[in-house]
Amino acid sequence: MKRMALCMLALVLLLSGCSGRQEPESSSLIVGFAQLGSESGWRVGNTEDIRRAAEEAGVQLILKNADQKQENQIKALRSFISLQVDVIAFSPIVEDGWDNVLTEAKQAGIPVLLTDRKINVEDENLFAGFVGSDFLEEGRDAGRFLLQKMAGKQDVRIVEIAGTIGSTPAGERADGFREIIAEQPGWQVVHSVSGDFLRSKGKECMSNILDEVQDIDVMFSHNDAMTLGAIEAIEQAGLNPGKDIVIITVDGEQGAIDLLMQGKINCVVECTPLIGDLIMQLSKKLAAGEAIPRITHSSERVFSEYDENLEHLPARGY
């Protein structure tokens, strides 16, 4: 029955309108991937890397974009189940609300791989594993940089532009950052607001913060898209980002690295979107009935104003 999916694949690809490519040649492995959206350069880069990795691995990929709506992702997952794909992979927009559809996948005998974000479910066996970043460590890295940057300062006032409420990166980056700065009792996160990982909201949030909060020393932003928007608001207010306000951001997009080299950002904590090869490797193991690690983290680093020769970094590709 599963091979019937091959007969339906051309129609699905035409209707999904996601890949923009011709129907690939038949292969022995079909992966359905439900991307959460295209809200940033990071997400676009992630999608393109998954497409590239599937093509190079000879994997038949059915990719659907949920446009930042959980109901769209659930609909995509159910379409993959009806097609009887070999593996389902998806990057969940939020952590809750997946029990029913993943139970359906389990009953259909289709293994599920989480990418980039995690979920809360009653039965942990509803998914096989997770591949992506260590968001808690990213928050800690942001805090560690701040300890170095503000060493000796007794009182530091921090504003935070967080990611989507209920998402793994937002929660764990905030927790990791606070874990580190808790060592400094006079340091405070005086204002925190969700910018939904969107550049437009990052600008809006920072503009409001500047109107409401006095004496800001540091801005910690959960992704580069929001940071770029926030920097626009800071400059429009007549302030110098990176000097009047220390800027710490997460992702590592080319635009953020460029601003780091210009002195407008002080620290960029990398969160790589280039996990396509890992996704394909793990999908092949799952399709073969092999066990995979419960958690597979990508390799990442921190870029800061203390680094030399940043201009020699290879192009980020996203």
Side-chain angles (χ1 to χ4, degrees):
M1 291 292 292
K2 185 172 288 187
R3 293 305 101 198
M4 290 177 63
L6 289 170
C7 300
M8 301 173 66
L9 184 57
L11 177 60
V12 171
L13 290 172
L14 287 172
L15 294 176
S16 69
C18 294
S19 68
R21 298 189 180 196
Q22 292 182 336
E23 177 190 353
E25 295 180 0
S26 295
S27 69
S28 60
L29 176 62
I30 306 172
V31 173
F33 185 85
Q35 182 61 280
L36 70 85
S38 51
E39 77 283 0
S40 64
W42 191 101
R43 188 65 55 190
V44 173
N46 179 241
T47 299
E48 289 306 312
D49 192 60
I50 291 168
R51 284 175 171 153
R52 173 204 58 77
E55 183 175 349
E56 292 180 3
V59 170
Q60 200 135 359
L61 180 69
I62 308 174
L63 192 149
K64 291 180 178 284
N65 188 319
D67 294 322
Q68 279 73 48
K69 295 180 180 179
Q70 185 180 26
E71 59 266 31
N72 289 347
Q73 275 197 306
I74 292 174
K75 182 178 179 181
L77 297 183
R78 288 197 165 114
S79 75
F80 298 153
I81 294 168
S82 68
L83 285 170
Q84 298 183 309
V85 300
D86 295 292
V87 177
I88 290 173
F90 76 112
S91 180
I93 187 167
V94 292
E95 293 185 341
D96 296 321
W98 303 103
D99 294 78
N100 289 342
V101 68
L102 294 190
T103 297
E104 294 168 23
K106 184 177 181 180
Q107 291 172 345
I110 303 173
V112 174
L113 178 65
L114 303 182
T115 78
D116 176 46
R117 298 184 181 185
K118 300 174 184 177
I119 59 175
N120 294 320
V121 287
E122 291 186 7
D123 179 4
E124 290 292 320
N125 292 319
L126 291 179
F127 65 93
F130 163 84
V131 56
S133 299
D134 186 338
F135 304 118
L136 194 64
E137 194 64 20
E138 289 172 354
R140 291 172 179 152
D141 282 337
R144 293 181 187 117
F145 168 79
L146 195 58
L147 290 182
Q148 181 180 11
K149 176 68 175 177
M150 308 299 262
K153 292 188 180 295
Q154 299 300 312
D155 299 303
V156 176
R157 291 170 58 82
I158 305 160
V159 298
E160 177 183 53
I161 303 180
T164 301
I165 295 172
S167 70
T168 310
E172 293 191 355
R173 285 170 185 163
D175 289 345
F177 182 73
R178 284 162 174 76
E179 175 188 314
I180 298 299
I181 68 169
E183 302 172 12
Q184 307 296 321
W187 295 18
Q188 303 176 63
V189 177
V190 297
H191 191 93
S192 180
V193 62
S194 170
D196 245 351
F197 293 120
L198 299 173
R199 179 168 181 159
S200 59
K201 290 196 70 172
K203 181 176 181 178
E204 176 186 336
C205 289
M206 195 62 199
S207 179
N208 292 337
I209 289 170
L210 291 168
D211 288 338
E212 298 171 9
V213 182
Q214 302 298 314
D215 302 321
I216 300 170
D217 298 305
V218 180
M219 182 193 77
F220 171 42
S221 168
H222 286 199
N223 87 331
D224 291 345
M226 295 187 301
T227 301
L228 297 180
I231 285 174
E232 291 180 35
I234 291 170
E235 291 181 326
Q236 287 177 5
L239 299 172
N240 294 315
K243 296 181 176 61
D244 296 326
I245 299 176
V246 173
I247 307 293
I248 304 173
T249 186
V250 182
D251 270 355
E253 294 183 14
Q254 187 65 53
I257 297 297
D258 291 343
L259 290 182
L260 173 63
M261 290 189 287
Q262 295 172 29
K264 294 184 178 183
I265 289 176
N266 305 87
C267 177
V268 178
V269 178
E270 184 177 36
C271 175
T272 181
L274 308 180
I275 57 175
D277 290 328
L278 285 173
I279 291 171
M280 296 308 144
Q281 291 166 16
L282 294 172
S283 293
K284 286 185 175 183
K285 288 184 176 182
L286 288 173
E290 299 177 24
I292 65 170
R294 192 62 182 166
I295 296 176
T296 302
H297 283 147
S298 44
S299 177
E300 296 168 339
R301 58 171 291 190
V302 178
F303 307 96
S304 82
E305 60 186 29
Y306 301 119
D307 294 339
E308 298 180 358
N309 302 318
L310 284 172
E311 65 275 9
H312 297 308
L313 280 176
R316 306 295 292 160
Y318 60 96

